[in-house]
């Protein structure tokens, strides 16, 4: 399964095998362990570590092997050159085939949604710092730009996610804003359906489980917010989950909707049981903030960090 | 009734009896004997033509016993077979079973005692006695005594009767040995006696109803004597449930019952009362059975308010509750309850009692206090509030001073509950202690029973103490938190996701920690930058282990800084971080740092906390040095317990290790297999053990201005003793173990009668350490006298020490000693 980070990559299979990691982490048998408490297993080690990116990794994406022909990777603001590039990755190539010019500099990552064969919809931050621009690719025609009323003062959009409900093909957009709110846009109607304040600090990452109509967002503060979408397309904060350290750069729900992973500024990846939000693991491997996460369709988790490494984890393999 | 000797009736009776006795002794003719006996039966009544009442009485009073003895004398197989089908035997037996029961019983017992050991006659008489019992004649024996009380009694006869009635199982057991009949076993006899007693009581109640006077004195004596013989369970097990039911609605029965207990002789009162309190199912029942006995009988009062509360402590909580509930149920008795509470609190708070009474007893007294408090109302407590508060406060102080955690905890619980009750308007006392079964039991006692007419219906505002839920944001131990999170989730199938260990999930330090050990000293002492200070503390241990050479250059300086370091910023787990850093320095440069620490232990101007830290660090460092293969555990995060209490930080691991080792040894002894000593491992501690051990043991008896080990600072002494024991244990396989063992045994010898249980526990485990660590040959060659002395001391402790742990430790040490001897001197051939 090819993995495409923002910059060129080399694989380094320096990871230790599962069983080795297990035995090494254990205490020597002579240690006295209180009999009443079965100790939880020690945290796992990454399965692989990809080194050599030579700069901080800000975005990750697993490319599907089968339909990966010419699948582009979109990337925003990486080089602060105000461009989003379209890459050709087919057969191991990595060539830029096209670029879109951006009109503002920000931290926001774009989001794409496949609308048909070789047609995609791209959401990215628009001009003026508080707009979201929707383009049709590869024609680069602007569909619309979405902007909240001036009195709402949402600040810049910080993260975007385009999706379609199972029931209707109309594209919807979830956007997290600088003021900590999450808004749901109906792209075709160009209006905001609902907006809810989830955080005190800017929303840094969000992900949405369209099947359960439940989403999660992380911000610069010490908490995750879990919110839900009801029949009337109204967002509601469901619960918050406190973390040890502030700062969540990215949140991802595993495609099978059983795990949630968060990328922390505290260098750690946290794994939760998505339905119950029960914490399952804290993966302390990176030595700088973790910027981005990606789940492969088979459940493999990749994390990119400011320490220029990408760690790949195999957690709770599917039954 | 008392007529002259020339009365014709009486002489007729005498003549008949004399003739009958003559016939019996001379005749071999079955028919003749049968008719003679038949004619005498008239005197027992119940035949077609009974004799005149005066004649019956005369026969019963004067002749019956003599005649029965004559019958006993005739008993032989030939004699009984003079008539076929056992007719003669039946007639013979009927005299015993139908005549006056007391005389028949006495003659039976006498005959059984007089018969040759295994003999026909003995067995016949025993079977007859069994019939006598199963025919319910024992009730008749006792009834007779109840009625006779009107006449000038025969105290001697009654005394004999009493001892035979109660001692029957013993007598029969002695006589019959292996041939004994089941009916005479105490476990069968005493329940029967209980039934018979009830029937006798029934008769008494009936005749009282009929206006006849009766006395239950004999019954009380039977009850008392049986209880003194330790048969409370069998006898009262039958009696109490029936009496509970019978006294339910009947005042007459209640009065008879009260009388029955009142008339119990003083010497038996305690046995009866303890039995009753244990058998009664609650305060109401006890109150019905006893009435106001405690107000009438001094002895009963003594037993109920002193003996059962202060001198004995084996009773269960329900017993204690019914006892104190009984005192609380009547307004006349309530002053006794208040008095008891005062005395209980006084005893509870006495520092001497805390030191010398077994823990179980202290626990018992604490329970009694809580039960008393639950029964007493605010108004009653108000009257003697100052007195109660004074004893309570003194007691709390003494309890918290104790070096045993269990005692401290008792102090905390009682103080919390009692202060809330005695002084409800004051600020509530709150302590932090671990909750377990024992504390829950105690706290449950503090809430008043739903029991009926206790005037204290206002429930005390005792909130159930809930363990504080850790703050999710700051507490770093992820394990338990994860569980509590998961538990509220709905039932689901995919919870096979087992959480990983999340204890490493701590708050991230933003500030850069120093990279060199030398910088740490500076960072820790100049403290403008708190974040850097904290980061240094976190990084220090790892830094020390990574750069041993650099550490050695500044080791003593660093140890000094760490020893004096004070918690300034409330960093989580400060104590643990500091301790681990200190241990790391000590391990890296053992000689110099140990030298420094041991001198500081006896130096002026340290707090007890610091001195105990020194001891802990030395122990942990020694442990690490002696077991180089032991992989260092990941640093344990967070403070171990809620509050910084001296002496209670989780029992150091070495202690568990020592205990475990001793236990395994002990087991091996009992299996009888020849175990060998601990495996020989490379012991880095070898070369430095002396630096740890000797400076510590040398100065303990020199008091300083601020530090007096043999005086007030016994907690530190206890720690010192435990530390020395641990150092000894860790010096196994080292050269220096022999002089260390010698010094330690001398040290133990000096302190062996120390009053504090924690110190004694330390001494005992130190002895075990010596036995484990010093090679057996050397022990016997170099320290024979010390060993002998230690052995006699251990034997003494194992038997007499009030502290249970001390006794157990002494037994373990004795077993080790035993094993040592077996190893050196092969057991003599049997």
């Amino acid at each position: 399964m090819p993995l495409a980070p923002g910059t060129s990559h080399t694989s380094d299979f320096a990871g230790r095998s599962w069983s080795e990691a297990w035995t090494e982490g254990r205490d020597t048998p002579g240690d006295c362990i209180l009999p009443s408490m079965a100790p939880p297993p020690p945290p796992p080690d990454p399965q692989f570590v990809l080194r050599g990116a030579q700069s901080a990794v800000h975005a990750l994406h697993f490319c599907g092997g089968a339909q990966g022909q010419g699948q582009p990777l979109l990337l925003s603001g990486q080089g602060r050159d105000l461009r989003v590039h379209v890459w050709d990755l087919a057969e191991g190539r990595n060539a830029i085939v096209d670029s879109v010019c951006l009109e503002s500099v920000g931290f926001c990552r774009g989001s794409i949604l496949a609308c048909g064969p070789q047609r995609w919809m791209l959401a990215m931050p628009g001009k003026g710092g508080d707009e979201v621009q929707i383009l049709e690719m590869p024609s680069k025609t602007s569909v619309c730009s979405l902007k909240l009323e001036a009195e709402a003062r949402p600040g810049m959009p910080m993260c975007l996610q385009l999706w379609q409900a199972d029931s209707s093909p109309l594209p919807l957009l979830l956007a997290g804003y600088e003021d900590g709110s999450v808004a749901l846009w109906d792209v075709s109607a160009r209006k905001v359906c609902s907006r809810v304040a989830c955080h005190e600090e800017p929303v840094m990452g969000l992900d949405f489980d369209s099947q359960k109509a439940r989403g999660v967002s992380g911000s610069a503060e010490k908490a995750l917010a879990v919110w839900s979408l009801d029949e009337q397309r109204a967002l509601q904060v469901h619960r918050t989950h406190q973390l040890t350290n502030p700062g969540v750069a990215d949140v991802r729900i595993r495609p099978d909707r059983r795990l949630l992973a968060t990328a922390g500024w505290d260098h750690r990846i946290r794994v939760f049981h998505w339905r119950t939000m029960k914490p399952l693991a804290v993966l302390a491997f990176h030595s700088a903030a973790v910027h981005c996460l990606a789940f492969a369709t088979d459940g493999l988790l990749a994390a990119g960090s400011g320490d220029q490494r990408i760690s790949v984890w195999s957690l709770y393999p599917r039954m | 009734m008392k007529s002259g000797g020339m009365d014709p009736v009486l002489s007729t009776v005498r003549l008949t009896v004399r003739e009958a006795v003559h016939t019996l002794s001379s005749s071999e003719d079955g028919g003749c004997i049968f008719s003679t006996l038949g004619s005498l039966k008239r005197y027992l009544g119940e035949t077609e033509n009974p004799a005149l009442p005066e004649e019956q009485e005369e026969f019963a009073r004067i002749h019956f016993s003599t005649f029965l003895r004559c019958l006993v004398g005739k008993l032989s197989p030939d004699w009984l077979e003079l008539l076929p089908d056992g007719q003669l035997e039946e007639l013979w037996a009927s005299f015993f079973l139908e005549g006056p029961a007391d005389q028949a019983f006495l003659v039976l017992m006498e005959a059984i005692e007089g018969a040759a050991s295994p003999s026909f006659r003995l067995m016949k008489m025993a079977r007859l006695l069994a019939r006598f019992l199963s025919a319910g004649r024992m009730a008749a024996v006792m009834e007779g005594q109840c009625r006779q009380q009107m006449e000038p009694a025969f105290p001697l006869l009654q005394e004999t009767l009493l001892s035979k009635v109660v001692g029957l199982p013993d007598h029969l057991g002695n006589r019959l040995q292996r041939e004994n009949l089941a009916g005479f076993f105490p476990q069968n006899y005493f329940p029967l006696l209980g039934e018979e007693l009830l029937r006798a009581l029934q008769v008494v109640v009936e005749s009282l109803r009929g206006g006849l006077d009766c006395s239950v004195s004999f019954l009380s004596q039977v009850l008392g004597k049986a209880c003194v013989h330790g048969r409370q369970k069998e006898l009262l097990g039958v009696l109490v449930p029936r009496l509970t039911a019978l006294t339910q609605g009947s005042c007459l029965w209640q009065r008879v019952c009260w009388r029955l207990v009142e008339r119990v002789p003083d010497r038996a009162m305690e046995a009866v009362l303890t039995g009753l309190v244990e058998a009664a199912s609650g305060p109401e029942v006890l109150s019905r059975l006893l009435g106001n006995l405690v107000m009438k009988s001094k002895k009963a009062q003594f037993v109920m308010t002193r003996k059962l509360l202060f001198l004995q402590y084996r009773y269960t909580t329900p017993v204690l509750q019914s006892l104190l509930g009984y005192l609380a149920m009547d307004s006349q008795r309530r002053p006794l309850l208040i008095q008891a509470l005062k005395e209980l609190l006084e005893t509870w708070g006495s520092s001497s009692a805390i030191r010398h009474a077994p823990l179980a007893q202290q626990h018992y007294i604490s329970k009694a206090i809580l039960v008393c408090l639950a029964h007493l109302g605010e108004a009653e407590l108000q009257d003697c509030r100052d007195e109660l508060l004074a004893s309570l406060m003194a007691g709390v102080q003494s309890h918290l001073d104790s070096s045993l955690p269990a005692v401290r905890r008792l102090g905390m619980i009682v103080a919390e509950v009692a202060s809330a009750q005695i002084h409800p308007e004051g600020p509530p006392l709150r302590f932090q202690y671990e909750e377990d079964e024992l504390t829950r039991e105690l706290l449950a006692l503090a809430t008043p029973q739903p029991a009926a007419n206790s005037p204290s219906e206002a429930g005390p505002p005792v909130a159930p103490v809930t363990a504080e839920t850790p703050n999710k944001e700051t507490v770093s131990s992820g394990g338990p938190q994860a569980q509590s999170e998961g538990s509220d989730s709905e039932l689901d199938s995919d919870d096979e996701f087992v959480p990983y260990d999340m204890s490493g999930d701590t708050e991230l330090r933003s500030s850069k920690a120093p990279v060199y050990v030398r910088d740490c000293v500076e960072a820790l002492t100049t403290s403008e930058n708190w974040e850097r200070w904290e980061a240094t503390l976190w990084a220090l241990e790892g830094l020390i282990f990574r750069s041993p050479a650099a550490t050695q250059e500044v080791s003593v300086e660093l140890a000094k800084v760490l020893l004096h370091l004070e918690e300034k910023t409330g960093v989580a787990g400060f104590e643990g971080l500091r301790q681990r850093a200190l241990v790391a320095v000590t391990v890296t440069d053992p000689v110099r740092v140990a030298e420094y620490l041991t001198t500081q232990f006896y130096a002026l101007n340290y707090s007890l906390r610091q001195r105990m830290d020194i001891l802990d660090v030395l122990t942990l460092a020694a442990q690490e040095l002696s077991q180089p293969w032991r992989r260092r555990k990941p640093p344990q995060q967070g403070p171990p317990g809620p509050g910084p209490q001296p002496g209670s930080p989780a029992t150091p691991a070495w202690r568990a290790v020592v205990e475990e080792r001793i236990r395994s040894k002990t087991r091996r002894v009992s299996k009888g297999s020849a175990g060998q000593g601990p495996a020989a491992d490379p012991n880095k501690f070898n070369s430095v053990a002396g630096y740890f051990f000797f400076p510590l043991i040398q100065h303990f008896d020199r008091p300083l201005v601020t530090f007096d080990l043999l005086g007030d600072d016994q907690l530190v002494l206890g720690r010192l003793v435990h530390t020395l024991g641990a150092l000894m244990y860790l010096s196994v396989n080292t050269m220096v173990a022999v002089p260390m063992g010698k010094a330690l045994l001398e040290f133990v010898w000096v302190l062996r009668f120390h009053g504090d249980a924690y110190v004694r526990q330390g001494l005992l485990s130190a002895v075990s350490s010596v036995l484990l660590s010093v090679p057996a040959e050397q022990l016997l060659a170099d320290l024979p006298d010390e060993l002998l002395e230690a052995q006699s001391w251990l034997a003494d402790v194992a038997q007499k020490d009030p502290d249970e742990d001390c006794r157990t430790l002494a037994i373990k040490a004795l077993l080790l000693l035993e094993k040592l001897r077996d190893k050196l001197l092969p057991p003599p051939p049997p």
Side-chain angles (χ1 to χ4, degrees):
Chain A
M1 171 140 317
L3 180 79
T7 53
S8 64
H9 64 270
T10 50
S11 293
D12 174 4
F13 289 81
R16 286 167 291 176
S17 80
W18 201 235
S19 59
E20 270 171 11
W22 176 263
T23 45
E24 267 201 62
R26 295 282 294 213
D27 284 322
T28 44
D31 267 351
C32 36
I33 296 163
L34 291 179
S36 58
M37 292 189 296
D45 288 330
Q47 199 162 37
F48 315 119
V49 180
L50 312 180
R51 298 169 212 266
Q54 315 231 319
S55 70
V57 183
H58 285 278
L60 284 171
H61 186 74
F62 280 99
C63 298
Q67 81 276 42
Q69 292 298 316
Q71 180 95 356
L73 180 104
L74 303 166
L75 167 103
S76 157
Q78 162 78 6
R80 301 216 162 222
D81 58 357
L82 292 182
R83 273 164 207 277
V84 173
H85 298 299
V86 180
W87 298 75
D88 178 11
L89 298 180
E91 297 164 328
R93 282 191 290 263
N94 54 349
I96 298 172
V97 292
D98 201 352
S99 301
V100 182
C101 281
L102 281 169
E103 292 174 50
S104 69
V105 179
F107 299 102
C108 187
R109 254 173 252 153
S111 172
I112 49 170
L113 180 70
C115 304
Q118 298 295 315
R119 278 178 63 230
W120 306 280
M121 183 176 277
L122 165 66
M124 62 183 199
K127 66 168 181 282
D130 55 354
E131 272 185 21
V132 180
Q133 200 178 8
I134 309 286
L135 297 177
E136 200 169 80
M137 299 294 282
S139 62
K140 296 199 269 180
T141 44
S142 172
V143 177
C144 59
S145 71
L146 308 171
K147 184 177 175 185
L148 282 163
E149 318 84 83
E151 62 266 27
R153 294 183 177 281
M156 285 190 285
M158 302 297 292
C159 48
L160 302 170
Q161 181 152 16
L162 277 171
W163 58 284
Q164 283 166 311
D166 295 337
S167 48
S168 86
L170 294 176
L172 297 166
L173 173 73
L174 278 163
Y177 286 95
E178 201 180 350
D179 69 343
S181 63
V182 172
L184 176 71
W185 291 89
D186 183 335
V187 176
S188 45
R190 298 177 195 188
K191 70 173 176 61
V192 63
C193 303
S194 163
R195 180 163 161 244
V196 63
C198 297
H199 303 276
E200 304 278 310
E201 300 276 334
V203 182
M204 300 304 296
L206 60 79
D207 201 1
F208 188 72
D209 171 359
S210 57
Q211 211 170 61
K212 293 198 181 80
R214 225 153 62 97
V216 57
S217 58
S219 80
E221 65 191 16
K222 253 178 161 177
L224 292 174
V226 179
W227 27 268
S228 55
L229 187 63
D230 64 15
E231 308 286 309
Q232 282 76 44
R233 288 187 180 171
L235 290 167
Q236 246 176 337
V237 177
H238 184 58
R239 62 189 284 186
T240 58
H241 185 89
Q242 296 295 324
L243 302 174
T244 313
N245 289 309
V248 177
D250 200 3
V251 295
R252 284 285 159 244
I253 299 167
R254 195 161 82 175
D256 66 356
R257 300 184 178 87
R258 293 171 77 183
L259 288 187
L260 166 74
T262 68
W265 291 355
D266 62 352
H267 315 175
R268 291 171 202 150
I269 304 159
R270 285 159 212 282
V271 180
F272 298 86
H273 187 250
W274 165 229
R275 194 155 56 66
T276 60
M277 287 303 282
K278 167 177 159 182
L280 293 175
V282 177
L283 309 173
F285 168 77
H286 289 287
S287 55
V290 184
H291 291 313
C292 49
L293 292 170
F295 273 113
T297 40
D298 67 349
L300 216 56
L301 170 68
S305 154
D307 66 1
Q308 311 186 359
R309 291 184 292 179
I310 298 165
S311 55
V312 181
W313 307 80
S314 172
L315 296 172
Y316 303 105
R318 285 192 239 177
M319 302 300 144
Chain B
M1 205 152 87
K2 293 264 189 268
S3 35
M6 303 317 272
D7 194 323
V9 172
L10 304 190
S11 51
T12 323
V13 174
R14 188 182 307 141
L15 210 64
T16 323
V17 172
R18 189 179 295 165
E19 269 173 25
V21 170
H22 181 75
T23 316
L24 278 179
S25 49
S26 56
S27 173
E28 297 284 314
D29 175 8
C32 175
I33 293 172
F34 192 79
S35 62
T36 313
L37 289 180
S39 70
L40 277 185
K41 259 207 99 179
R42 288 177 56 240
Y43 292 120
L44 297 182
E46 296 167 33
T47 46
E48 306 89 72
N49 55 341
L52 299 170
E54 307 92 83
E55 287 178 336
Q56 287 190 24
E57 187 164 331
E58 174 71 7
F59 177 73
R61 211 160 58 86
I62 313 276
H63 306 287
F64 186 57
S65 299
T66 330
F67 176 67
L68 285 185
R69 288 197 186 96
C70 174
L71 282 182
V72 170
K74 286 315 291 176
L75 188 63
S76 69
D78 299 341
W79 190 80
L80 286 180
E81 274 159 30
L82 289 178
L83 282 182
D85 303 333
Q87 290 172 45
L88 201 52
E89 185 174 1
E90 202 46 47
L91 189 59
W92 171 80
S94 69
F95 279 92
F96 291 90
L97 297 175
E98 288 159 27
D102 48 352
Q103 294 183 51
F105 178 64
L106 283 178
V107 171
L108 271 174
M109 293 300 287
E110 184 188 294
I112 286 171
E113 263 154 60
S117 196
S119 68
F120 172 77
R121 177 178 296 174
L122 180 63
M123 285 321 291
K124 269 284 176 237
M125 298 309 295
R127 291 221 177 78
L128 182 58
L129 181 61
R131 273 184 74 188
F132 183 86
L133 290 181
S134 58
R137 294 301 285 166
M138 198 52 106
V141 171
M142 290 189 280
E143 277 164 44
Q145 295 308 307
C146 293
R147 262 186 245 112
Q148 270 185 11
Q149 286 310 299
M150 296 309 101
E151 297 179 22
F154 307 98
L156 201 63
L157 173 77
Q158 212 174 53
E159 194 58 38
T160 319
L161 202 53
L162 180 66
S163 73
K164 301 268 190 238
V165 167
V166 177
L168 184 140
D170 296 343
H171 290 301
L172 269 293
N174 279 338
R175 292 303 297 150
L176 297 176
Q177 306 279 342
R178 284 160 186 282
E179 313 279 300
N180 203 357
L181 306 179
F184 303 141
F185 293 165
Q187 63 269 35
N188 299 332
Y189 175 72
F190 284 100
L192 177 106
L193 190 61
E195 298 279 354
E196 302 291 272
L197 226 139
L198 267 172
R199 283 178 45 201
L201 277 173
Q202 185 87 48
V203 171
V204 168
V205 169
E206 303 279 299
S207 45
L208 284 177
R209 273 205 191 108
L212 281 172
D213 225 354
C214 268
S215 159
V216 291
S217 176
F218 184 74
L219 302 183
S220 301
Q221 289 183 40
V222 170
L223 177 65
K225 201 168 176 92
C227 287
V228 167
H229 281 211
R231 297 297 167 186
Q232 287 112 323
K233 278 227 171 63
E234 289 93 343
L235 191 62
L236 295 174
V238 173
L239 217 49
V240 169
R242 296 285 307 279
L243 284 177
T244 305
L246 286 168
T247 52
Q248 179 87 55
S250 159
C251 288
L252 189 58
W253 264 106
Q254 281 190 20
R255 281 201 356 249
V256 167
C257 192
W258 298 350
R259 193 85 183 132
L260 176 72
V261 190
E262 267 166 47
R263 294 304 300 260
V264 169
D266 273 0
R267 62 175 186 285
M269 188 58 96
E270 181 186 343
V272 174
L273 279 180
T274 52
L276 276 175
V277 173
E278 278 186 290
S281 56
E284 301 84 18
V285 172
L286 202 58
S287 190
R288 268 208 321 265
L289 296 184
L290 298 182
N292 260 345
L293 178 71
V294 279
M295 310 305 295
K296 294 180 202 153
S297 155
K298 269 216 150 70
K299 175 75 180 183
Q301 189 176 22
F302 172 76
V303 169
M304 297 286 268
T305 61
R306 294 213 56 86
K307 198 121 195 195
L308 292 186
L309 290 179
F310 294 97
L311 302 176
Q312 300 186 341
Y313 54 94
R314 67 184 169 89
Y315 302 103
T316 58
T317 314
V319 170
L320 203 50
Q321 275 172 323
S322 41
L323 169 65
L324 293 167
Y326 161 75
L327 292 180
M329 279 191 78
D330 188 284
S331 56
Q332 285 190 335
R333 301 193 291 254
R334 283 184 83 85
L336 287 179
L337 185 66
I338 296 172
Q339 185 59 33
L341 176 61
K342 281 185 200 163
E343 284 168 13
L344 279 168
L345 263 180
E346 204 171 302
T347 310
W348 182 78
S350 134
S351 61
S352 146
I354 291 169
R355 200 157 326 124
H356 299 292
L359 188 61
Q361 185 168 18
Q362 299 188 34
H363 186 209
Y364 183 80
I365 287 185
S366 304
K367 280 199 290 193
I369 291 176
L370 296 182
V371 175
C372 280
L373 282 170
H375 281 296
L376 285 171
E378 209 171 287
E380 286 162 297
L381 291 171
Q382 211 63 36
D383 293 340
C384 46
R385 189 164 103 177
D386 293 339
E387 196 180 334
L388 293 178
L389 269 184
S391 337
L392 178 68
M393 287 309 150
V396 174
Q397 191 56 48
S398 329
H399 274 87
L400 294 183
D401 280 347
S402 166
S403 44
L404 300 178
V407 174
R408 284 200 300 273
R409 200 167 46 173
L410 273 184
M412 297 181 207
I413 297 171
V414 173
E416 275 185 10
V417 175
S419 67
Q421 286 263 58
I422 300 174
H423 195 48
E425 61 274 24
L429 271 179
R430 273 281 168 278
F431 293 96
Q432 287 176 312
Y433 45 84
E434 278 171 56
E435 203 175 334
D436 63 4
E437 209 161 303
L438 216 133
T439 55
R440 275 194 290 276
E441 190 200 346
L442 282 173
L443 289 172
L445 287 179
T447 41
Q449 307 275 292
N453 35 11
S454 127
S456 63
E457 65 274 276
V462 186
V465 176
T466 49
E468 264 181 51
T469 41
N471 188 346
K472 276 183 203 164
E473 286 175 57
T474 51
V475 166
S476 45
S477 63
Q481 181 191 335
Q483 257 127 45
S484 68
E485 274 287 310
S487 61
D488 63 358
S489 69
E490 321 102 84
L491 288 171
D492 60 280
S493 57
D494 52 7
D495 260 349
E496 70 275 10
F497 290 165
V498 181
Y500 289 100
D501 179 19
M502 280 174 283
S503 58
D505 187 17
T506 54
E507 286 182 44
L508 195 68
R509 317 279 127 192
S510 53
S511 175
K512 280 274 187 282
V515 188
Y516 299 104
V517 175
R518 196 175 280 280
D519 294 344
C520 293
V521 178
E522 181 255 321
L524 288 176
T525 44
T526 62
S527 48
E528 295 88 45
N529 186 344
W530 293 121
E531 290 207 332
R532 185 172 153 86
W533 187 84
E534 274 188 40
T536 309
L537 205 53
W538 280 95
L540 192 52
E541 190 194 8
L543 219 50
I544 292 170
F545 278 117
R546 275 199 297 278
S547 45
T551 305
Q552 276 168 7
E553 288 172 23
V554 292
S555 59
V556 175
E557 200 182 340
L558 189 57
K560 191 170 174 179
V561 169
L562 284 169
L563 185 60
H564 290 274
L565 203 61
E566 277 172 20
E567 183 169 12
K568 290 169 182 164
T569 57
V571 43
F574 169 81
E575 286 301 332
L577 289 172
R578 186 178 77 131
Q579 187 182 60
R580 281 197 301 278
L582 262 173
V583 171
V585 182
T586 317
V587 169
T588 314
D589 193 6
V591 175
R592 266 181 291 176
V593 178
E595 217 165 14
Y596 170 74
L597 288 178
T598 48
T599 32
Q600 297 312 300
F601 180 74
Y602 286 110
L604 277 169
N605 295 334
Y606 278 95
S607 69
L608 297 186
R609 177 74 257 170
Q610 281 171 314
R611 294 187 207 270
M612 292 205 279
D613 283 345
I614 292 178
L615 293 177
D616 286 349
V617 166
L618 288 173
T619 314
L620 290 170
Q623 186 179 9
E624 207 142 298
L625 283 167
S626 69
Q627 295 157 328
W629 75 90
R630 183 182 290 268
R631 193 190 149 115
R632 293 189 55 75
K633 282 202 262 183
Q636 166 208 7
Q637 307 291 354
Q645 307 164 14
S648 73
T651 326
W654 55 263
R655 193 163 166 200
V657 173
V658 172
E659 305 245 280
E660 173 55 38
R661 209 39 102 77
I662 293 177
R663 209 175 309 136
S664 64
K665 298 286 162 194
T666 322
R667 203 178 305 130
R668 218 180 273 164
V669 173
S670 61
K671 277 181 195 160
S673 66
Q676 60 255 27
D681 291 308
N683 192 341
K684 267 209 241 166
F685 191 48
N686 185 1
S687 52
V688 296
Y691 292 97
F692 282 66
F693 183 85
F694 289 110
L696 276 185
I697 204 170
Q698 271 163 8
H699 301 288
F700 73 96
D701 49 356
R702 293 175 210 171
L704 301 173
V705 187
T706 52
F707 184 46
D708 182 8
L709 272 180
L710 297 184
D712 289 342
D713 297 323
Q714 55 187 10
L715 180 60
V716 185
L717 180 64
R719 278 299 187 78
L720 173 65
V721 178
H722 278 97
T723 303
L724 291 172
L727 291 177
M728 181 75 237
Y729 174 73
L730 294 168
S731 314
V732 65
N733 302 332
T734 63
M735 304 291 290
V736 76
V738 181
M740 272 170 78
K742 194 172 168 64
L744 191 53
L745 282 181
E746 279 168 13
F747 174 81
V748 168
W749 190 243
V750 173
L751 288 173
R752 68 194 185 283
F753 295 126
H754 199 279
D756 188 82
Y758 183 62
V759 173
R760 288 200 305 277
Q761 286 169 13
L763 295 174
L764 291 162
S765 53
V767 172
S768 292
S769 304
V770 173
L771 296 177
L772 285 170
S773 289
V774 181
E777 298 78 9
Q778 301 256 302
L779 262 180
L780 287 190
D782 295 2
L783 314 165
D785 298 338
E786 284 88 342
L787 280 187
L788 271 180
E789 285 169 341
Q791 188 178 17
S792 61
W793 172 62
L794 288 172
D796 207 42
V797 172
Q799 282 181 353
K800 296 184 190 152
D801 199 287
D803 185 78
E804 197 186 331
D805 288 345
C806 281
R807 292 197 297 271
T808 321
L809 284 169
I811 289 168
K812 284 175 180 168
L814 277 176
L815 284 172
L816 284 174
L817 207 57
E818 192 92 341
K819 184 194 158 218
L820 210 68
R821 204 181 51 201
D822 291 351
K823 199 160 123 187
L824 288 185
L825 316 167

